[in-house]
């Protein structure tokens, strides 16, 4: 037999449509496997194998050929010696859209088969012609199954494309959210536009007062930065007192503008102001009733103002003291408010389901929080006002520069802290 | 109104307050710091409290409490007292009424 002792190996592969070849399925045909189907189909298979030797894909149908398998007649086919049992794994190779096997693997048929086939091609040709006619019916079935599988493969490719597209979109969205979060952490939330659009305020609800404030505060910080630079330049350039006065007035006025903004947003959501989420983290660390401590302000300013006259030293000293006393009074008032709200909320029997009376009363008491925030800002404003009165124009300019620079450095500290490398995990 | 004005003149430093008001409490603490003991009238515990509240409002107190009178004259509410204190004007006014430590 010309094809005796031939290992016949045909590899499964799928060729994607992109490569210009229709997806075709092949069955893994190896040694010791049964070729199923009736004789006509097996013959057509055999002929195919024979005629498409070396690097070729061919298609075998098994599903539609479930009739019992008669024994091969080696003498008729010849080429299957010694392969008595060539099986077809029909079930395994349905076109079920397995995207992971999309790479093409070229079919390789053992060279021996190729060589041998040449010598006997003439012999087989006549035989093949005869058998092809009889095998037309199974060939129709083959064609049909081929088409079905092509269709299924195409669908699976489309599904895969859609899935990948979805993943890509999610990935982009995730990156976008991460960037927003990073910006918010670093800059303390004054990106009003983005947060407005995303409707994710730290208050948890869409609050137009807060959104407006965030936007305004962002601009406020930008203007603040510009003013500091102008002050620095002006002081180094030794401009006239009159010109410097203008800068000082606008600098102080800029702080007053902030207090106005805060007053407005405190009416919308006082907890928002008190929480200090609108500030950077380092600034928040020093927060006292929704802003900086006036006495802290003086501590930052005074060292930068040397030399002061004796009168000035006295007045600054008095201001420090009265500032501290006022702060203490407000702090204790806040503590009292906490106690009041706490006892109100905790009051009443707990074995009753309704806590509405307690919560309603607590609501009334919380209103006082707005007046505390306003008083704290008033204190800040008065402190700035008094310092401006006590100091000369040049000293006031230096003071504003020192204060602005201080907050600018706190913001930088916040950014640096937020972007510090992560701690190495313990071994 | 008469009650308010008459009460206001009774002592050097008079504070109209409400027992539930925490800002009033803060002002009380401030006076304590300054070694002054004002005469405190809790108008929420006064039978004529509502009239007194109206009177204080008419006098210009926004709260209407806390309302501070020094030497029979209205100083104002928290805002005014704080401004006065930071400008250094409050202590001179309180001096006659400060208790010794």
């Amino acid at each position: 037999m010309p094809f005796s002792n031939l290992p016949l190996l045909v590899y499964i592969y799928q060729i994607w449509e992109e490569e210009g070849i229709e997806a075709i399925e092949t069955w893994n045909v190896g040694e010791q496997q049964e070729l199923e189907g009736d004789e006509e189909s097996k013959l057509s298979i055999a002929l195919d194998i024979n005629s498409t030797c070396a690097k070729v894909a061919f298609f075998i149908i098994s599903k539609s050929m479930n009739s019992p398998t008669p024994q091969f007649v080696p003498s008729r086919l010849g080429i299957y010696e010694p392969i008595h049992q060539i099986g077809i794994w029909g079930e395994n190779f349905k076109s079920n859209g397995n995207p992971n096997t999309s790479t093409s693997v070229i079919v390789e048929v053992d060279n021996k088969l190729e060589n041998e086939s040449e010598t006997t091609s003439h012999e087989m040709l006549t035989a093949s012609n005869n058998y092809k006619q009889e095998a037309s019916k199974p060939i129709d079935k083959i064609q049909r199954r081929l088409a079905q599988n092509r269709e299924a493969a195409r669908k699976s490719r489309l599904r895969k494309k859609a899935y990948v597209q979805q993943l890509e979109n999610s990935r982009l969205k995730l990156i976008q959210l991460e960037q927003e979060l990073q910006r918010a952490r670093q800059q303390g939330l004054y990106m009003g536009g983005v947060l407005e659009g995303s409707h994710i305020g730290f208050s948890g609800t869409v609050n137009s007062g807060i959104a407006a404030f965030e936007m305004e505060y962002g601009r406020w910080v930008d203007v603040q930065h510009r003013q500091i630079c102008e002050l620095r330049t002006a002081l180094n350039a030794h401009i006239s007192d009159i010109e410097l006065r203008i800068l000082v007035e606008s600098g102080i006025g800029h702080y007053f503008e902030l207090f106005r903004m805060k007053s407005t947003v405190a009416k919308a959501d006082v907890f928002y102001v008190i929480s200090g989420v609108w500030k950077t983290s380092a600034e928040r660390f020093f927060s006292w009733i929704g802003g900086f401590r006036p006495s802290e302000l003086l501590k930052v300013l005074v060292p930068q103002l040397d030399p002061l006259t004796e009168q000035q030293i006295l007045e600054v000293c008095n201001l420090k003291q009265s500032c501290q006393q006022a702060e203490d009074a407000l702090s204790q008032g806040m503590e009292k408010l906490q106690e009041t709200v706490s006892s109100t909320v905790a009051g009443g029997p707990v074995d009753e389901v309704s806590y509405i009376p307690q919560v309603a009363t607590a609501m009334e008491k919380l209103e006082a929080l707005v007046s505390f925030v306003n008083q704290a800002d008033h204190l800040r404003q008065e402190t700035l006002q008094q310092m401006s009165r006590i100091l000369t124009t040049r000293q006031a300019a230096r003071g504003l520069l020192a204060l602005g620079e201080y907050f600018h450095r706190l913001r930088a500290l916040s950014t640096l802290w937020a972007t510090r490398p992560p701690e190495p995990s313990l071994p | 109104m008469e009650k308010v004005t008459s009460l206001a003149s009774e002592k050097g430093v008079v504070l109209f307050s409400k027992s539930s008001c925490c800002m009033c409490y803060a002002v009380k603490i401030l006076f304590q710091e300054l070694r002054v003991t004002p005469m405190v009238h809790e108008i929420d515990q006064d039978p004529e409290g509502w009239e007194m509240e109206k009177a204080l409002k008419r006098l210009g107190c926004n709260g209407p409490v806390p309302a501070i009178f020094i030497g029979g004259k209205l100083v104002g509410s928290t805002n005014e007292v704080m401004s006065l204190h930071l400008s250094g004007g409050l202590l001179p006014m309180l001096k006659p009424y400060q208790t010794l430590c």
Side-chain angles (χ1 to χ4, degrees):
Chain A
M1 284 292 169
F3 294 101
S4 309
N5 304 315
L6 289 175
L8 178 63
L9 295 169
V10 178
Y11 298 94
I12 295 173
Y13 71 103
Q14 277 183 311
I15 302 175
W16 292 104
E17 201 162 79
E18 292 92 292
E19 295 178 26
I21 308 168
E22 280 184 325
I24 310 169
E25 285 183 338
T26 65
W27 307 124
N28 195 353
V29 181
E31 290 185 331
Q32 314 299 320
Q33 287 161 352
E34 199 89 60
L35 195 62
E36 291 170 36
D38 59 24
E39 292 223 355
E40 282 84 0
S41 67
K42 282 194 231 168
L43 185 59
S44 73
I45 293 161
L47 290 169
D48 278 340
I49 293 173
N50 187 42
S51 64
T52 61
C53 298
K55 297 179 194 309
V56 118
F58 63 94
F59 188 82
I60 301 171
I61 297 172
S62 71
K63 260 308 213 190
S64 50
M65 313 290 171
N66 282 330
S67 45
T69 312
Q71 266 299 79
F72 255 117
V73 181
S75 56
R76 279 177 72 186
L77 301 175
I79 59 173
Y80 285 103
E81 293 276 297
I83 298 164
H84 304 283
Q85 296 140 357
I86 299 173
I88 302 166
W89 298 325
E91 305 312 309
N92 299 341
F93 302 110
K94 275 208 197 55
S95 176
N96 59 0
N98 187 359
N100 296 323
T101 60
S102 64
T103 49
S104 65
V105 175
I106 298 172
V107 167
E108 288 176 9
V109 176
D110 192 272
N111 282 337
K112 279 190 185 173
L113 176 64
E114 196 176 334
N115 295 336
E116 298 289 351
S117 74
E118 283 167 14
T119 60
T120 55
S121 58
H122 177 67
E123 277 179 54
M124 297 310 298
L125 217 60
T126 1
S128 78
N129 286 339
N130 295 336
Y131 288 120
K132 259 185 181 158
Q133 283 161 359
E134 289 175 63
S136 61
K137 207 171 50 174
I139 283 173
D140 283 343
K141 285 183 185 171
I142 291 169
Q143 298 285 9
R144 184 158 49 84
R145 180 51 71 94
L146 200 148
Q148 281 174 356
N149 284 351
R150 271 204 298 278
E151 185 56 34
R154 191 179 67 84
K155 280 182 183 158
S156 98
R157 285 196 300 281
L158 288 172
R159 276 199 301 275
K160 180 193 175 184
K161 254 187 188 168
Y163 179 65
V164 168
Q165 188 62 38
Q166 198 186 8
L167 282 178
E168 282 295 317
N169 290 342
S170 299
R171 194 176 133 263
L172 287 171
K173 183 79 188 154
L174 183 65
I175 290 170
Q176 196 185 345
L177 284 172
E178 278 178 348
Q179 284 174 354
E180 273 182 37
L181 191 64
Q182 182 75 345
R183 275 199 296 267
R185 275 196 313 164
Q186 287 176 19
Q187 297 170 14
L189 247 200
Y190 58 91
M191 338 174 298
V194 177
L195 285 172
E196 234 177 293
S198 67
H199 294 286
I200 303 172
F202 273 61
S203 64
T205 58
V206 177
N207 190 322
S208 59
I210 289 176
F213 175 81
E214 282 171 352
M215 216 157 54
E216 280 176 24
Y217 183 67
R219 278 189 246 125
W220 188 91
V221 172
D222 291 338
V223 171
Q224 176 79 343
H225 188 72
R226 187 170 46 78
Q227 284 184 345
I228 294 168
C229 294
E230 278 174 9
L231 274 171
R232 192 179 285 124
T233 313
L235 283 168
N236 290 335
H238 305 289
I239 66 172
S240 74
D241 264 20
I242 297 168
E243 285 167 312
L244 204 55
R245 191 78 225 164
I246 296 170
L247 288 176
V248 167
E249 292 294 323
S250 68
I252 293 178
H254 194 54
Y255 280 105
F256 288 9
E257 179 59 37
L258 177 62
F259 301 138
R260 265 196 296 279
M261 285 160 53
K262 284 170 71 184
S263 170
T264 308
V265 76
K267 290 196 196 90
D269 185 351
V270 69
F271 283 120
Y272 173 77
V273 178
I274 290 220
S275 71
V277 290
W278 48 280
K279 296 193 286 184
T280 63
S281 42
E283 288 175 291
R284 216 176 305 140
F285 176 55
F286 294 101
S287 195
W288 174 77
I289 314 185
F292 59 83
R293 243 178 220 281
S295 55
E296 186 71 33
L297 184 160
L298 292 173
K299 271 193 227 135
V300 167
L301 281 189
V302 171
Q304 300 284 339
L305 301 172
D306 289 336
L308 292 169
T309 66
E310 285 233 5
Q311 176 67 18
Q312 283 180 323
I313 293 172
L314 182 67
E315 289 190 79
V316 168
C317 203
N318 287 340
L319 182 63
K320 264 191 185 170
Q321 193 181 33
S322 40
C323 213
Q324 192 64 58
Q325 285 164 342
E327 267 178 45
D328 288 346
L330 285 181
S331 294
Q332 291 197 46
M334 279 287 278
E335 274 176 35
K336 181 84 172 146
L337 183 60
Q338 274 189 338
E339 281 171 31
T340 312
V341 172
S342 174
S343 62
T344 305
V345 170
V350 295
D351 31 41
E352 276 177 27
V353 173
S354 173
Y355 49 78
I356 291 173
Q358 289 82 11
V359 171
T361 313
M363 280 278 286
E364 287 170 29
K365 298 196 183 293
L366 273 178
E367 295 288 336
L369 205 52
V370 180
S371 51
F372 273 98
V373 169
N374 287 338
Q375 280 306 315
D377 275 348
H378 177 71
L379 206 61
R380 294 173 188 116
Q381 186 164 314
E382 284 298 310
T383 307
L384 285 169
Q385 191 97 308
Q386 290 303 316
M387 281 305 279
S388 166
R389 181 184 62 80
I390 294 168
L391 300 173
T392 65
T393 304
R394 191 151 292 267
Q395 285 168 331
R398 282 191 61 91
L400 279 172
L401 174 60
L403 194 62
E405 181 63 17
Y406 177 69
F407 289 125
H408 178 70
R409 289 180 190 179
L410 281 183
R411 284 183 215 115
L413 177 63
S414 306
T415 306
L416 205 63
W417 182 260
T419 53
R420 78 195 188 283
E423 304 251 323
S425 49
L426 296 169
Chain B
M1 178 64 86
E2 294 79 27
K3 178 154 189 184
V4 166
T5 42
S6 73
L7 284 175
S9 319
E10 261 180 28
K11 271 204 86 178
V13 184
V14 178
L15 171 67
F16 290 94
S17 161
K18 279 186 192 173
S19 55
S20 58
C21 172
C22 294
M23 194 55 80
C24 300
Y25 180 79
V27 171
K28 286 173 199 166
I29 295 290
L30 181 63
F31 280 126
Q32 210 174 302
E33 279 265 338
L34 303 178
R35 295 184 288 118
V36 171
T37 314
M39 168 80 91
V40 179
H41 296 286
E42 309 281 0
I43 65 174
D44 58 334
Q45 289 166 355
D46 195 301
E48 290 167 84
W50 179 231
E51 279 81 22
M52 290 168 80
E53 193 168 322
K54 278 197 293 187
L56 285 170
K57 279 191 184 148
R58 252 183 280 129
L59 285 170
C61 290
N62 285 333
V65 290
I68 297 100
F69 289 79
I70 300 178
K73 286 215 310 262
L74 176 65
V75 172
S77 190
T78 324
N79 254 18
E80 289 75 27
V81 168
M82 293 293 184
S83 303
L84 199 61
H85 188 42
L86 258 63
S87 66
L90 186 63
L91 270 176
M93 285 174 83
L94 291 175
K95 214 163 170 121
Y97 313 106
Q98 276 179 315
T99 56
L100 300 163
C101 285

